[in-house]
Amino acid sequence: MIQADIHTHTHYFHGRNTVEEMYKSAQKKNLKYYGFSEHTPLPDDFSCLLYRKGDMHKAFADYACDVVNLKNKATRAALIYPEDSWPTVLFGMELDFTPKHLEYMDTLIESHPFDYIIGTVHFIDSQSIALWDHSSASKEETFLFFEQYYQKIAELAKWGKADIIAHPDFVKIHCVKDFAEWLETKHAQNCVEQALYEVRAAGMVLEVSTGGLKKTCKEIHPAPRIMEIAAKLGLAISFSSDSHNTETVAYAFDELAQFASSYGYKQHVIFEKRIPKILDF
Ligand SMILES: [Zn+2]
Ligand SMILES: [Zn+2]
């Protein structure tokens, strides 16, 4: 059984529920670890239309305060009432990789006592992947976009300051068929392998997530072909639901466990105070 869900969101950016509400859901699911990984505020020249309006730096500081308070409460309660369900609270963030803004990313990492950093590629240069108009792109342009995405993942890994690579085929969300076709090419497999090689060389972990099952692509992240490459490289994995509301905490984790074990995986990784811990599932 998977014991940890470590990529989740709250109402602070574009999720629906509070820190406390998300945690209650994790208690009901009997998870041993529950990790919060809210999005980071974006540099001024980037924007995400999906986020709430307002001061996202203030929202992030409020999020951090809620998580730290909950972490203290859960640590105390677990020692006093060990017979109750008190998943260990892990404090993370989903950091947008914006290589033009290295100092900005450093400042965010140093801003709070994070247990772990999830590095994420949601943008290729300033183009938001979620808002990319795939319908007006030619097949060559689409395939080039996929290739650029894996170059960004390699760049993020070489930067080396995150612990986990988020949803490592996010680029497929609106064009899963084209992505599957691209992945069958030798060139694509080399691109992916090169990126995953850098992830391993950086001592990082690849996220395997049911978040994609809830998106239009309706697939686990990453796709089977990428899992094969990850397994071949012996790359370690972490598990998550990328949940944005209480109903999807630990979403389809039985399916997720089966999926990962079909590639030979028996363990997953969590982080406490930036130190990896390996768990069986
Ligand atoms: Zn994400
Ligand atoms: Zn996320």
Side-chain angles (χ1 to χ4, degrees):
M1 191 190 150
I2 298 174
Q3 305 170 56
D5 186 356
I6 61 167
H7 179 159
T8 68
H9 297 280
T10 69
H11 69 125
Y12 277 116
F13 277 60
H14 61 162
R16 210 174 60 209
N17 295 97
T18 64
V19 165
E20 282 278 350
E21 286 164 351
M22 293 301 277
Y23 184 71
K24 278 203 180 86
S25 184
Q27 286 178 301
K28 281 191 203 133
K29 300 264 175 180
N30 275 316
L31 287 171
K32 212 162 160 223
Y33 299 89
Y34 187 72
F36 291 90
S37 61
E38 193 53 280
H39 295 285
T40 46
L42 289 163
D44 290 341
D45 52 341
F46 284 78
S47 68
C48 180
L49 301 173
L50 304 172
Y51 292 173
R52 284 183 215 303
K53 303 248 177 302
D55 182 350
M56 300 323 281
H57 286 279
K58 161 98 173 54
F60 194 83
D62 291 345
Y63 152 75
C65 188
D66 283 4
V67 176
V68 170
N69 285 338
L70 175 64
K71 196 176 172 75
N72 292 339
K73 179 173 99 173
T75 306
R76 183 180 67 230
L79 290 169
I80 301 173
Y81 304 109
E83 65 278 21
D84 297 341
S85 168
W86 290 104
T88 301
V89 173
L90 302 175
F91 177 23
M93 67 168 165
E94 183 177 7
L95 174 66
D96 268 294
F97 183 58
T98 51
K100 259 170 67 189
H101 299 281
L102 294 174
E103 265 180 51
Y104 180 84
M105 291 192 290
D106 284 345
T107 307
L108 287 170
I109 291 174
E110 285 155 18
S111 65
H112 296 285
F114 293 109
D115 285 305
Y116 60 101
I117 311 293
I118 302 180
T120 194
V121 176
H122 288 137
F123 294 89
I124 296 176
D125 300 324
S126 54
Q127 172 65 57
S128 157
I129 294 170
L131 302 175
W132 179 54
D133 182 11
H134 150 257
S135 62
S136 64
S138 68
K139 187 151 280 186
E140 288 72 28
E141 286 166 336
T142 303
F143 282 11
L144 183 64
F145 197 65
F146 298 153
E147 190 174 332
Q148 287 169 336
Y149 173 78
Y150 284 97
Q151 285 165 355
K152 281 281 170 242
I153 292 209
E155 207 181 324
L156 162 55
K158 282 187 199 159
W159 175 62
K161 294 188 181 175
D163 304 299
I164 300 169
I165 298 280
H167 40 57
D169 59 356
F170 184 75
V171 75
K172 76 182 175 188
I173 55 170
H174 300 310
C175 44
V176 68
K177 281 200 183 121
D178 283 336
F179 186 73
E181 186 185 330
W182 179 71
L183 259 189
E184 287 313 306
T185 67
K186 195 75 206 140
H187 180 66
Q189 289 162 20
N190 288 340
C191 288
V192 172
E193 181 157 347
Q194 189 54 40
L196 299 198
Y197 171 84
E198 296 297 348
V199 176
R200 179 162 177 156
M204 293 170 72
V205 166
L206 198 72
E207 178 181 86
V208 181
S209 157
T210 53
L213 292 174
K214 296 169 267 148
K215 299 194 186 97
T216 44
C217 63
K218 295 203 168 28
E219 270 188 9
I220 285 174
H221 294 297
R225 185 64 84 193
I226 301 173
M227 283 298 281
E228 280 170 23
I229 297 170
K232 188 180 87 181
L233 292 172
L235 199 54
I237 57 170
S238 65
F239 286 131
S240 81
S241 65
D242 206 345
S243 176
H244 286 67
N245 59 63
T246 52
E247 288 100 80
T248 54
V249 168
Y251 179 74
F253 266 21
D254 289 343
E255 186 183 336
L256 190 64
Q258 221 171 23
F259 178 75
S261 58
S262 72
Y263 297 93
Y265 282 99
K266 295 183 172 66
Q267 294 175 316
H268 62 120
V269 182
I270 61 157
F271 294 83
E272 279 189 281
K273 297 184 181 150
R274 307 294 305 270
I275 308 291
K277 187 168 183 173
I278 295 169
L279 305 174
D280 293 328
F281 70 93

